[in-house]
Amino acid sequence: MDDNKKLRAAIAGVMQFLQQEEENNKPNTNQWVIAGRKLIMQNRILVQRREQKW
């Protein structure tokens, strides 16, 4: 019974590792998307700073 649990744990560990490797090897997102997200974050910071002054 313990051997079966160890085997399942080992298989689950390998599957998790393979899934993480697959996610890490995905191509980078579009540069326009990254630039847009940075712009949104900067605008949010500016709005928050303006609200803190009042």
Side-chain angles (χ1 to χ4, degrees):
M1 196 68 170
D2 286 335
D3 292 335
N4 195 15
K5 288 182 181 179
K6 290 180 182 179
L7 182 61
R8 286 183 183 177
I11 292 172
V14 170
M15 293 298 291
Q16 181 68 26
F17 173 76
L18 292 174
Q19 185 179 15
Q20 287 178 350
E21 286 296 314
E22 183 179 329
E23 289 176 3
N24 290 340
N25 292 333
K26 287 184 179 177
N28 292 336
T29 57
N30 190 350
Q31 295 297 320
W32 287 104
V33 173
I34 294 171
R37 289 179 183 167
K38 285 182 181 180
L39 182 64
I40 290 170
M41 287 188 291
Q42 289 172 350
N43 288 340
R44 285 182 183 173
I45 290 170
L46 289 175
V47 169
Q48 288 173 356
R49 285 183 186 166
R50 289 179 189 160
E51 289 177 359
Q52 286 178 353
K53 289 182 181 178
W54 297 103

